Amino acid sequence: MAYKFKNGIPIYLQIIDELSISIASGKYAPGDKLPSVREFAVDIGVNPNTLQRAFSTMESMGIVHVDRTNGRYVTDDEKVLSELRAKLSKRYIEELVTRMRKLKMSDEEILNAIKRWLEEV
Amino acid sequence: MALIEIEGLYKSYNKLLALNNLNLSLEGGQIVGLLGPNGSGKTTLIKILNDLLKADRGSILIDGKNPSTETKEVVAYLPDRNSLPDYMKIKDLINMQADFFKDFDIEKANSMIEDLGINTNMRFKSLSKGMGEKVQLALVMSRKAKVYLLDEPIGGVDPAARDYILKTIISNYNPESVVIISTHLISEIESVLDDVIFIKNGEIVLHKSPDLIREEYAKGVDELFREVFKC
């Protein structure tokens, strides 16, 4: 389950991204316990310090929290989770719209193309 | 206090200056990449750390002591070439390591080698290159050392073996030890490192974490390396 990392962006940020997607998509459900740093670092193939930094940042974002026994859990706060989903989907929309505008499509054409695609699928 | 403290290190071979006023400080709990072209001084530095060579000038402290037989007890070295007697059976190699090193964990060595599906009655020379590398790494990782020096641990082996070796390095992470990995396969190893050293003509030209390199240069370590060491 090793993560693939891109070149220009700090690795700890990419870890936060991948984990956020796993959480937003329900792979790690609200309240689920996450693997320990040690275990997870081996799993995704990263330095434990880098992973710790990613975890700490996610804790300060409220996406994960650490309990008394040092276990790390996905938040079950629906507000935080839906904010996370909103943030991720906004980024995808921005990417999509930017690319389609490069093809010289108007906003109306973009919306219609998306609608057609959704109907076909 | 830093685990490795080097100040003003010089080493020449006849007229060739291999290490030129090298300064370096490394703390425990780090996995450090020592990166540089062939002839940059990497192997010289590793040999000095392992007390296989003496520096001409400068101070070098490993856990507060000068390199000596005493520091050899806390330094574990994986050379880039096999240095073990390959006619020996693996179980005898394990016992030999236990004889040499007080901190050698026989059970750990046996369990790691068993996990590889290797029978310790086999002779080392009957192993494939990839298996041999993994066994050598297992022997080195079975030491409870303060400094691990790994010289090209993933060179010349298949991708699956490389994965295994990198995972082994990560899972043996110890906040009180420092692991120094010298390699050319930078993009493979970058995510495992939390510190990177570029060495050029016997001097350190860069010493930063991979993430700081990415933040500052918007490039991966491999890409930056190619720029810094462009021929």
Side-chain angles (χ1 to χ4, degrees), chain B:
Chain B
M1 192 189 65
L3 203 43
I4 293 179
E5 195 76 65
I6 299 176
E7 266 172 59
L9 203 66
Y10 287 86
K11 176 67 182 177
S12 292
Y13 301 106
N14 287 327
K15 297 233 173 75
L16 181 67
L17 188 57
L19 294 179
N20 186 5
N21 196 14
L22 193 121
N23 297 283
L24 181 61
S25 181
L26 294 174
E27 311 270 341
Q30 292 185 282
I31 302 178
V32 184
L34 181 60
L35 312 175
N38 298 329
S40 55
K42 286 186 315 225
T43 306
T44 303
L45 178 58
I46 288 174
K47 287 188 172 167
I48 290 177
L49 282 167
N50 202 30
D51 199 36
L52 289 170
L53 273 180
K54 289 287 183 205
D56 296 333
R57 247 199 298 160
S59 111
I60 166 166
L61 293 173
I62 298 170
D63 202 22
K65 306 194 182 80
N66 293 310
S68 58
T69 34
E70 223 186 321
T71 59
K72 274 209 169 105
E73 286 177 16
V74 299
V75 176
Y77 175 42
L78 179 65
D80 64 348
R81 251 155 265 243
N82 178 36
S83 60
L84 298 171
D86 62 2
Y87 58 85
M88 279 178 86
K89 290 185 182 174
I90 293 174
K91 66 179 180 191
D92 294 331
L93 284 170
I94 292 175
N95 288 326
M96 186 175 87
Q97 295 288 297
D99 278 343
F100 267 122
F101 301 110
K102 277 185 262 183
D103 60 16
F104 190 78
D105 186 341
I106 296 185
E107 259 154 56
K108 182 172 181 184
N110 276 317
S111 129
M112 282 180 85
I113 289 173
E114 203 180 291
D115 282 348
L116 291 167
I118 295 174
N119 181 336
T120 57
N121 265 312
M122 293 173 72
R123 294 187 191 276
F124 188 85
K125 65 181 176 188
S126 65
L127 297 174
S128 67
K129 181 169 180 178
M131 271 306 181
E133 291 272 358
K134 291 186 227 175
V135 166
Q136 283 190 84
L137 181 72
L139 293 176
V140 165
M141 288 304 179
S142 295
R143 287 202 43 206
K144 295 190 206 42
K146 294 241 166 92
V147 178
Y148 294 89
L149 300 167
L150 311 180
D151 200 344
E152 284 293 1
I154 55 173
V157 288
D158 68 77
R162 274 183 242 157
D163 271 357
Y164 175 85
I165 290 169
L166 292 176
K167 281 185 196 282
T168 303
I169 292 171
I170 298 172
S171 67
N172 276 282
Y173 170 83
N174 178 346
E176 284 166 26
S177 313
V178 65
V179 178
I180 300 175
I181 305 176
S182 169
T183 184
H184 289 313
L185 296 168
I186 298 168
S187 47
E188 295 261 359
I189 213 178
E190 186 178 347
S191 63
V192 169
L193 306 175
D194 54 349
D195 204 14
V196 165
I197 296 170
F198 281 0
I199 181 170
K200 189 177 189 179
N201 298 325
E203 285 179 79
I204 291 177
V205 296
L206 184 131
H207 184 184
K208 281 191 166 109
S209 73
D211 272 359
L212 200 56
I213 288 173
R214 282 158 178 254
E215 264 169 50
E216 285 186 19
Y217 302 93
K219 299 188 161 87
V221 179
D222 186 285
E223 216 182 320
L224 183 64
F225 183 96
R226 285 163 200 256
E227 271 183 30
V228 170
F229 292 99
K230 199 165 168 174
C231 304

Side-chain angles (χ1 to χ4, degrees), chain A residues 80-98:
Chain A
V80 171
L81 290 171
S82 64
E83 261 171 40
L84 180 64
R85 259 175 242 122
K87 191 169 113 180
L88 285 168
S89 56
K90 187 170 170 192
R91 194 208 299 166
Y92 296 150
I93 294 171
E94 192 181 324
E95 265 175 51
L96 174 68
V97 170
T98 307

Side-chain angles (χ1 to χ4, degrees), chain A residues 1-3 5 15 39-46 51, chain B residues 167 191:
Chain A
M1 214 195 83
Y3 283 178
F5 295 107
I15 295 173
E39 222 186 294
F40 210 24
V42 172
D43 227 9
I44 65 178
V46 298
L51 179 60
Chain B
K167 281 185 196 282
S191 63

